[in-house]
Amino acid sequence: MITKLLIANRGEIACRVIKTAKKMGIATVAVYSDADREALHVRMADEAVHIGPSPAKDSYLRIDKIIAACQATGAQAVHPGYGFLSENPKFTEALEAAGIIFVGPPVKAIEAMGDKITSKKLAAAAGVSTVPGHMGLIDDAEHAVIISRSIGYPVMIKASAGGGGKGMRIAHDDEEAREGFARSKSEAAASFGDDRIFIEKFVTEPRHIEIQLIGDSHGNVLYLNERECSIQRRNQKVIEEAPSPFLDEATRKAMGEQSVALAKAVGYQSAGTVEFIVDKDRKFYFLEMNTRLQVEHPVTELITGLDLVELMLRAANGEKLPLTQDQVQRKGWAIESRLYAEDPYRNFLPSTGRLTKYRPPAESASETLHVRNDTGVFEGGDISTFYDPMIAKLCTWAPTRIEAIDAMAVALDSFEVEGVGNNLPFLATVMEQERFREGRLTTGYIAEEFPEGFSGATLSEQHQLDVAAAAALLMSRREARHGFAASEWHWHVQIGEQALPVTVGETADGYTVGADWRSIAARLDWVPGAGLARVEWSDGRQSVFKVKATTTGFRIRYRGADLKVQVLAPHVASLLKHMPVKVPPDMSKYLLCPMPGQVVRIDVAEGDIVEDGQTLAVVEAMKMENVLKAEKRARVSKVHAVAGSVLAVDQVILEFEAVA
C-alpha cells in the first residue's frame, strides 16, 4: 500500500494530485526548482525537496534527482502529472530499477504509444481507424514537400515525440510545407530532444474528440466517455467540455470500444487518453494516445463523479477497478476554460510577471451547479518564463450545456487577475458566441471566428444596457457614499460613441434603473473601491462586473469587453464636445517584439525591401517559435536586434521607411 507519494511535477497538476493523496491519507512530497521555491505545490505538500536550477532540464527533467528525492524521503511511489517526465520510458525504467512504484502505465505501453509513428501502426493493427499519412521519417524540407504532395494538401506536419501543440504545423502548399518542416523540426529538438518529423492528411472541418480510459493490472480497461477539445489555438487546447455536443451514442460507443481495444493490445493500465479527429460526418480517425493524466481531466470527473487521480493511485496499488463499463455514468455537462498568462490583444503571446491580484471565483458544488478551479498560483506569486504559462483551469458543471456555459460566463466575469496579460476576456467572449453556444465547433474555430486576432468583445444590445445601468448604479452608490443623497439620480452614460440617459431611483430593497425607455429593478452588491460589482436584476439574471473607478466614471470589464464608461451629470455631459481628443502615436514604422523572448534569427538586412506577409524574424518564447511577418511593403531602415538578443515586450527589432 502506498503511504508516501512524490509528485514529480509542479503547478496546478502537482496541487491537484496532492489534494487527492491527502484525501486518501497518503503523505506527499513535492519537488521544486529555484524558480518554484515559494510555489503553491511546495506549500501544500507534507515535505519538499529542492532539485536544482530553474530550467526544467536541470530540475524537473532530471531523473536522477527525482529518484534521489524519493530515496531521501522514503517515498514509495511517484505520480508524474503531465508533461516533463510523465511519458518518458527511461524514467519509468529507472523508477522500477530503484524499486519505486510509477503511478502510470507499464513502460512497454509508454514506449508503444509515445512514438506517434509506432502508435499509428499499432492502432491500425488493433482495428482502430487511422488518418492517411506517411509514417516514415522525413529527410529534409524537399522530402517533406514531395510527401505532402503525394498525400494531398492540406497536411499536418508533426513531431514524432511531440505534445502540447509544440512541433506541429499545418501546410496548405509547398512553401508552407518547407517552412512548417523547418519550424516543427526546430521546436521538436528544443522541446523534446527528438527532431523526427512525420506528415499526415489534415482533415477538413475537424473536431478534436478524445476518449478517457482507466485500466488496472488485472486486464480491465474502461472508457469514461469523451471530451470535446476542438477549441484550440496553435494546436493547444483552450476550452474543453464533456460530453461532446456532436457525438451520438453509436459513435461514442464505437470510439470507446476501439480505444479500449488499443489499450488492451499494449497491456495498458492507469489513466490514459486516446485522441481522435472526427469529421463532419462523424467519421473518426486515431490521432495519438497520451499515456498519462490529461490537463482537461476535470470535466470527465465532473460528469462521471469519479476521481481519476484516486483511480490511478489504486491501480498502482494493484487494486481492481471499482466499477464496470455499464456503471460508468454521464450526468450533466461540464466546461473547462484554461486561463493562460498570455495577451489576447497581442496574438496570445506569453506574458510574465507578478500576479498583483489573483482572486478566483468561490468553488461550490450543488445539485444544479459546480464551480471548480484547479490552480498552482497565488496572489503575489510570479509567472515564470521557465514553464508553461497556465494560471488555472476554471470548470463549471450544470445539468445542461447552456446552463454550464452561462455558469462559466459568470465565473469568468468573477475571476480577478492583474499584473500579467491573460486570456480571461477572450474566454468570456467565446462563451457569448452563438456558434459556440450551438456547439458548431471545429479545430479551426478560433482562426475562423477571430481572423484578424482578438481585439475585445462586441457586446449584445442587452449587455450594453446592463453595463450602462450598472455604471449608473455604481455612480449613484459612490455619490451617496460621499454624502450626496438623492431619491433619484439622472446620469448621462457614455460608452464609446454610444450615449444613454439613465435614471436611478432608490427603493426599499434596492434600486430601479430606467434606460432606453425600459425600467428594471436591481440589487447592487458593491462597496466603493471593491474590484467586483454584482447586480441581481429583477428578471432573474445575475451580472458580475470588474470595476475600477476613474475620474469621470469607471473602467468596466464584462463578458470579454473592456470599456471606459463615463457617468456624468447632464450639464457636464453637454461640455464633452469641447474636450480635445488625444491621438495615439504612429508605431507602424516599427517591428516590435510582441512578447519577452529571444531572437532566433533575423531574416532581413538594412536596405532590404520587404513585402506584405514576408518573414522578418523568429522569436522564441516558452519553447515556442513565433514567426514575425511584414504587414505591408516597406524598406528596412535599421536593424536593432541580432540572433541571440533577449528582448522585452515592445522592444524595437526593426525600423522601416516607406517606399514608392
Side-chain angles (χ1 to χ4, degrees):
M1 180 71 179
I2 297 171
T3 58
K4 182 177 281 192
L5 175 72
L6 183 142
I7 299 92
N9 218 298
R10 63 175 303 280
E12 62 85 15
I13 189 58
C15 296
R16 162 72 188 90
V17 174
I18 290 170
K19 286 180 181 179
T20 287
K22 288 192 171 185
K23 181 183 72 175
M24 297 174 68
I26 299 172
T28 55
V29 179
V31 291
Y32 64 92
S33 67
D34 288 347
D36 280 338
R37 193 173 296 274
E38 302 297 326
L40 185 60
H41 74 284
V42 175
R43 298 181 180 187
M44 289 178 62
D46 298 305
E47 299 176 61
V49 178
H50 177 252
I51 55 171
S54 300
K57 66 181 178 63
D58 299 321
S59 50
Y60 295 106
L61 291 173
R62 286 287 299 272
I63 295 174
D64 58 332
K65 291 187 176 183
I66 301 296
I67 291 177
C70 289
Q71 293 169 337
T73 59
Q76 305 136 306
V78 170
H79 195 299
Y82 55 76
F84 293 144
L85 296 169
S86 63
E87 294 177 282
N88 187 325
K90 292 181 180 178
F91 181 48
T92 310
E93 289 176 337
L95 289 174
E96 185 177 341
I100 300 167
I101 299 169
F102 177 68
V103 184
V107 64
K108 290 184 178 179
I110 297 175
E111 288 176 333
M113 293 294 103
D115 185 286
K116 289 184 172 62
I117 295 173
T118 301
S119 68
K120 287 183 184 295
K121 293 178 180 178
L122 286 169
V128 182
S129 177
T130 57
V131 180
H134 179 84
M135 293 300 104
L137 299 179
I138 316 300
D139 299 329
D140 52 32
E142 292 309 313
H143 189 200
V145 169
I146 293 170
I147 292 168
S148 298
R149 288 176 180 172
S150 67
I151 295 171
Y153 290 109
V155 296
M156 177 72 85
I157 302 170
K158 288 184 175 181
S160 180
K166 296 180 178 67
M168 299 173 66
R169 290 292 191 279
I170 299 171
H172 296 86
D173 54 39
D174 291 355
E175 183 179 351
E176 289 186 359
R178 293 186 184 95
E179 177 71 16
F181 176 82
R183 297 279 64 76
S184 294
K185 194 174 184 69
S186 178
E187 286 181 3
S191 298
F192 314 112
D194 183 344
D195 66 354
R196 293 175 301 154
I197 300 298
F198 72 100
I199 300 176
E200 65 185 15
K201 180 70 176 176
F202 180 71
V203 179
T204 56
E205 294 187 44
R207 286 175 177 258
H208 185 131
I209 300 176
E210 59 191 30
I211 299 293
Q212 175 68 58
L213 299 177
I214 189 70
D216 61 26
S217 57
H218 303 275
N220 302 305
V221 181
L222 308 178
Y223 65 91
L224 308 180
N225 301 302
E226 80 283 359
R227 294 185 289 259
E228 173 89 51
C229 306
S230 297
I231 306 294
Q232 303 179 5
R233 181 190 50 73
R234 298 178 189 144
N235 301 307
Q236 179 68 59
K237 299 162 189 172
V238 179
I239 297 170
E240 301 101 345
E241 60 184 292
S244 166
F246 185 61
L247 293 192
D248 54 26
E249 287 297 333
T251 308
R252 177 178 293 112
K253 186 173 186 289
M255 292 174 71
E257 289 178 348
Q258 287 192 20
S259 299
V260 168
L262 176 60
K264 288 187 174 182
V266 294
Y268 201 86
Q269 65 185 66
S270 195
T273 297
V274 180
E275 301 192 347
F276 293 92
I277 289 295
V278 184
D279 70 15
K280 61 183 179 180
D281 300 316
R282 294 195 180 92
K283 293 179 181 177
F284 57 90
Y285 306 95
F286 173 78
L287 185 61
E288 64 181 339
M289 183 177 188
N290 289 309
T291 56
R292 54 170 167 80
L293 191 66
Q294 290 279 87
V295 177
E296 58 274 19
H297 74 274
V299 291
T300 295
E301 294 183 326
L302 286 168
I303 67 164
T304 61
L306 299 171
D307 183 327
L308 285 171
V309 174
E310 179 178 348
L311 291 175
M312 293 178 75
L313 289 167
R314 294 196 180 282
N317 264 327
E319 299 177 32
K320 287 186 176 181
L321 292 174
L323 73 168
T324 63
Q325 189 64 60
D326 292 341
Q327 293 172 318
V328 175
Q329 68 174 353
R330 190 176 72 251
K331 181 181 179 182
W333 218 283
I335 307 286
E336 176 178 289
S337 293
R338 298 193 190 188
L339 175 57
Y340 285 114
E342 58 185 17
D343 191 341
Y345 302 101
R346 292 174 177 268
N347 198 27
F348 301 93
L349 293 171
S351 178
T352 58
R354 178 155 296 174
L355 287 165
T356 57
K357 182 180 283 189
Y358 177 75
R359 299 174 190 175
E363 294 187 287
S364 63
S366 71
E367 288 297 314
T368 57
L369 175 66
H370 287 228
V371 177
R372 169 175 167 175
N373 188 55
D374 285 19
T375 188
V377 303
F378 54 89
E379 189 166 295
D382 292 322
I383 301 298
S384 168
T385 59
F386 294 104
Y387 313 116
D388 185 273
M390 182 182 288
I391 297 173
K393 301 181 313 197
L394 180 63
C395 305
T396 55
W397 173 94
T400 68
R401 184 171 186 268
I402 289 299
E403 288 173 319
I405 292 172
D406 288 342
M408 178 61 72
V410 173
L412 290 167
D413 284 338
S414 306
F415 210 136
E416 296 182 89
V417 178
E418 304 290 349
V420 297
N422 63 80
N423 64 336
L424 272 174
F426 173 76
L427 297 168
T429 299
V430 174
M431 294 302 135
E432 295 296 320
Q433 291 187 305
E434 181 180 354
R435 177 179 168 185
F436 176 75
R437 295 174 73 85
E438 291 178 354
R440 294 184 287 112
L441 314 177
T442 71
T443 56
Y445 185 97
I446 292 177
E448 293 159 7
E449 293 297 306
F450 303 92
E452 304 301 321
F454 180 75
S455 56
T458 300
L459 296 181
S460 67
E461 181 182 2
Q462 179 61 62
H463 287 337
Q464 289 180 35
L465 285 173
D466 290 345
V467 170
L473 283 170
L474 295 170
M475 186 61 80
S476 300
R477 174 69 61 84
R478 194 165 81 176
E479 289 295 287
R481 182 75 172 266
H482 291 160
F484 301 107
S487 60
E488 189 171 83
W489 287 271
H490 296 274
W491 301 111
H492 171 99
V493 180
Q494 185 85 31
I495 307 174
E497 299 298 318
Q498 182 187 32
L500 197 66
V502 182
T503 301
V504 176
E506 284 199 58
T507 65
D509 60 351
Y511 299 89
T512 58
V513 188
D516 197 28
W517 301 285
R518 303 178 216 181
S519 181
I520 191 169
R523 292 183 178 180
L524 173 64
D525 179 9
W526 179 70
V527 176
L532 291 181
R534 301 178 186 275
V535 180
E536 292 184 9
W537 310 102
S538 57
D539 60 8
R541 294 179 300 116
Q542 181 187 103
S543 298
V544 181
F545 304 90
K546 294 185 181 75
V547 175
K548 184 176 182 180
T550 63
T551 304
T552 59
F554 304 92
R555 176 192 179 190
I556 294 180
R557 286 171 286 176
Y558 180 61
R559 299 297 162 96
D562 192 340
L563 306 168
K564 178 183 176 183
V565 183
Q566 295 188 83
V567 186
L568 307 170
H571 71 280
V572 176
S574 65
L575 302 175
L576 278 179
K577 61 180 177 288
H578 301 295
M579 298 295 290
V581 178
K582 185 176 181 180
V583 179
D586 180 15
M587 302 299 290
S588 62
K589 68 175 184 176
Y590 300 103
L591 174 67
L592 305 178
C593 189
M595 80 298 250
Q598 185 172 36
V599 177
V600 176
R601 69 169 200 254
I602 302 290
D603 285 357
V604 295
E606 291 182 7
D608 287 357
I609 294 177
V610 299
E611 303 294 338
D612 182 14
Q614 180 178 335
T615 297
L616 303 174
V618 177
V619 175
E620 191 234 354
M622 294 185 176
K623 297 186 179 180
M624 291 290 285
E625 294 187 358
N626 301 275
V627 179
L628 308 183
K629 298 186 177 184
E631 295 182 353
K632 61 182 178 181
R633 190 170 190 265
R635 177 181 285 108
V636 179
S637 60
K638 192 169 184 180
V639 178
H640 291 267
V642 297
S645 297
V646 177
L647 305 181
V649 64
D650 285 340
Q651 193 166 340
V652 176
I653 300 175
L654 302 174
E655 193 170 339
F656 305 101
E657 60 186 15
V659 293

